[in-house]
């Protein structure tokens, strides 16, 4: 049976893609208004951002992809949690552990690249476990536990890197460097490491896991409605545990394997952890713009990387404070992306239509109420099961 055009568009979720494009456009427009309000030339600034910096040369493209790599992985952490119905903001501390302990400490114990990669994933997952256990067995909200763990992880990592034996005795502004044998190789003659390829593979793997395996199906259904998932033989508690563990693996990989082991030319953590701080939180914005979908996150991360890579040229051409303007644009984009979801909630609260019939599928970020065993509830449950078996998806 051939799919109609509307059915194909529904599967691809063109509506969500267009909403993200509109959000990006609105972000740039308001960013331009802010620049003009303070006397800067927005056209020159954007010209420097795109043609002069982020996309104007091979080095610029390499810088764009390099900046996009770690936030792609931390975005996957947030997206996996969202698909399982939790708000996991613990990517930040798992990233610290992957970067500081796995990349700096363990690779200097054994200068092996694969050892550093594996230990980054292991430590990221282990650090995510306390929040998972507190959520599943004590009912502690994940936002509270992950915020606390982020601060604990941050100060613990600072303690490790500011003094001997891991502070660099020749350069007090950074840690000791990653041994050459443990560094990720660069791609061609660029400054981009193979970490970008690893991150893209991780995103594709996450997509396959969530949409083409029984484990991923159980995680997504648990995120939509834990009671319905339990009725269908799925253990929602284990789904949450796996969500934290897999998310921790992604962030630990981003911190250890990508940011530090592939961090040409320094291959070290800067003073005060400046080059690893905030990348977990940046991943939240990347995930939201990518609609919490692994494949959308690849494009979203590259876009955010492009904004970051073009900041220096933006400053040189228009004398604007580049990082601050970029942060303004990013914040506006994230807020604009959230507007359609807010309108859906308002419409649902006012009784203006059944969201579940319109867009509440297993790939949506909104819960699907199953009701009390009515005929329509059973139809929705059977629809979920069919979707899981067939692997249908949309962005």
């Amino acid at each position: 049976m051939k799919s109609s055009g509307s059915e194909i568009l529904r599967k691809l979720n063109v509506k969500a893609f267009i909403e993200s494009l509109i959000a990006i456009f609105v972000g740039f427009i308001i960013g331009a208004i802010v620049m003009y309000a303070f006397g800067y030339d927005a056209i020159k600034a954007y010209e420097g951002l795109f043609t002069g910096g982020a996309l104007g040369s091979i080095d610029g493209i390499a810088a764009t992809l390099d900046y996009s790599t770690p936030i792609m992985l931390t975005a996957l952490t947030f997206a996996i949690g969202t698909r399982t119905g939790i708000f996991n903001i613990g990517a930040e501390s798992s990233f610290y552990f992957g970067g500081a302990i796995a990349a700096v400490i363990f690779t200097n114990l054994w200068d092996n690249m694969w050892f550093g990669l594996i230990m980054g994933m292991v430590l990221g997952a282990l650090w995510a476990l306390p929040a998972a256990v507190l959520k599943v067995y004590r009912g502690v909200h994940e936002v509270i536990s992950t915020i606390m763990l982020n601060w604990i992880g941050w100060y613990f990592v600072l303690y490790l890197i500011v003094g001997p034996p891991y502070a660099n005795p020749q350069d007090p502004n950074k840690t000791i460097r990653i041994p050459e044998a443990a560094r990720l190789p660069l791609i061609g003659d660029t400054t981009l490491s193979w970490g970008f390829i690893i991150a893209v593979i991780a995103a594709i793997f996450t997509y396959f896991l969530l949409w083409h395996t029984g484990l991923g199906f159980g995680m997504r259904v648990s995120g939509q409605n834990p009671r319905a998932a339990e009725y269908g033989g799925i253990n929602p508690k284990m789904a949450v545990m796996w969500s934290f563990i897999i998310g921790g693996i992604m962030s630990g990989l981003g911190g250890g394997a990508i940011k530090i082991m592939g961090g040409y030319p320094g291959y070290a953590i800067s003073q005060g952890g400046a080059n690893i701080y905030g990348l977990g939180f940046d991943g939240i914005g990347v995930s939201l713009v990518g609609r919490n979908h692994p494949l959308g996150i690849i494009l979203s991360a590259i876009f955010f990387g492009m904004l970051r890579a073009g900041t220096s040229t933006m400053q040189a051409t228009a004398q604007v404070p580049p990082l601050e303007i970029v942060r303004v644009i990013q914040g506006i984009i994230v807020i604009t992306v959230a507007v359609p979801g807010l309108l859906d909630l308002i419409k649902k609260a006012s009784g203006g239509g059944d969201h579940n019939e319109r867009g509440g599928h297993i790939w949506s970020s909104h819960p699907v109420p199953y009701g009390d065993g009515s005929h329509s509830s059973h139809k929705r449950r059977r629809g979920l099961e069919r979707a899981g078996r067939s692997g249908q998806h949309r962005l």
Side-chain angles (χ1 to χ4, degrees):
M1 178 179 178
K2 294 184 179 180
S3 299
S4 65
S6 59
E7 179 71 11
I8 294 174
L9 292 177
R10 185 189 66 82
K11 289 180 181 180
L12 293 175
N13 200 0
V14 174
K15 176 177 177 289
F17 180 71
I18 293 175
E19 287 172 353
S20 292
L21 290 181
I22 292 173
I24 292 170
F25 178 74
V26 170
F28 280 121
I29 291 295
I30 298 180
I33 293 172
V34 170
M35 283 188 276
Y36 279 122
F38 286 93
Y40 300 112
D41 190 331
I43 295 177
K44 284 186 177 180
Y46 286 149
E47 183 180 349
L49 176 67
F50 292 110
T51 61
L55 303 175
S57 64
I58 296 297
D59 289 339
I61 295 172
T64 293
L65 300 181
D66 183 55
Y67 281 120
S68 73
T69 302
I71 56 177
M72 190 184 302
L73 289 164
T74 56
L76 290 174
T77 298
F78 183 78
I80 292 168
T82 301
R83 293 291 176 177
T84 319
I86 59 176
F87 199 83
N88 180 8
I89 57 175
E92 186 79 3
S93 52
S94 290
F95 190 89
Y96 299 153
F97 273 70
I101 301 179
V104 174
I105 296 177
F106 279 107
T107 57
N108 277 280
L109 295 176
W110 182 23
D111 56 349
N112 183 281
M113 182 185 71
W114 296 108
F115 178 65
L117 297 179
I118 293 171
M119 290 310 300
M121 293 186 286
V122 169
L123 289 173
L126 288 176
W127 189 250
L129 274 180
V133 172
L134 289 171
K135 171 71 174 180
V136 170
Y137 295 105
R138 302 303 300 171
V140 177
H141 199 282
E142 63 274 9
V143 171
I144 302 299
S145 59
T146 50
I147 286 177
M148 295 298 101
L149 286 169
N150 283 344
W151 284 112
I152 293 170
W154 172 245
Y155 285 113
F156 180 68
V157 165
L158 283 183
Y159 167 76
L160 291 176
I161 66 177
V162 296
Y166 302 111
N168 192 330
Q170 282 81 38
D171 187 352
N173 294 318
K174 61 181 66 174
T175 62
I176 55 177
R177 304 181 77 188
I178 303 295
E180 287 192 25
R183 297 173 187 174
L184 291 173
L186 300 179
I187 298 177
D189 296 327
T190 69
T191 58
L192 178 66
S193 77
W194 277 86
F196 175 74
I197 305 300
I198 294 174
V200 171
I201 292 172
I204 295 172
F205 168 80
T206 303
Y207 162 73
F208 180 82
L209 174 73
L210 289 176
W211 271 271
H212 294 279
T213 68
L215 173 62
F217 177 68
M219 291 167 64
R220 290 185 293 115
V221 175
S222 296
Q224 294 299 315
N225 194 313
R227 291 178 60 188
E230 195 168 7
Y231 172 74
I234 297 168
N235 187 341
K237 291 183 177 181
M238 286 307 300
V240 170
M241 291 290 289
W242 277 114
S243 175
F244 274 103
I245 291 171
I246 299 170
I249 287 173
M250 295 300 169
S251 293
L253 180 65
I258 307 304
K259 185 60 182 177
I260 308 303
M261 292 172 62
Y264 177 88
Y267 296 106
I269 297 178
S270 303
Q271 185 179 41
N275 61 336
I276 61 173
Y277 181 78
L279 293 172
F281 294 122
D282 286 348
I284 296 175
V286 172
S287 181
L288 291 173
V289 175
R291 312 299 288 195
N292 299 319
H293 192 290
L295 302 185
I297 283 171
I298 296 175
L299 301 177
S300 175
I302 293 173
F303 171 73
F304 274 67
M306 178 190 68
L307 292 180
R308 184 65 181 83
T311 53
S312 58
T313 312
M314 189 177 181
Q315 184 179 35
T317 55
Q319 287 76 50
V320 298
L323 189 56
E324 289 76 8
I325 291 296
V326 164
R327 291 297 188 188
V328 168
I329 293 172
Q330 289 176 347
I332 294 167
I333 289 171
V334 171
I335 292 172
T336 310
V337 165
V339 168
L342 179 62
L343 294 177
D344 283 345
L345 290 176
I346 294 173
K347 187 175 181 179
K348 182 180 177 182
S350 62
D354 184 359
H355 169 77
N356 297 314
E357 295 302 322
R358 221 171 35 84
H361 305 281
I362 55 176
W363 39 75
S364 169
S365 58
H366 303 284
V368 179
Y370 271 69
D372 54 358
S374 65
H375 177 67
S376 61
S377 297
H378 287 298
K379 285 179 65 180
R380 280 193 290 268
R381 181 168 64 85
R382 288 197 299 270
L384 286 173
E385 293 168 349
R386 286 195 299 270
R389 289 194 297 269
S390 63
Q392 291 178 343
H393 63 278
R394 68 173 189 170
L395 286 173

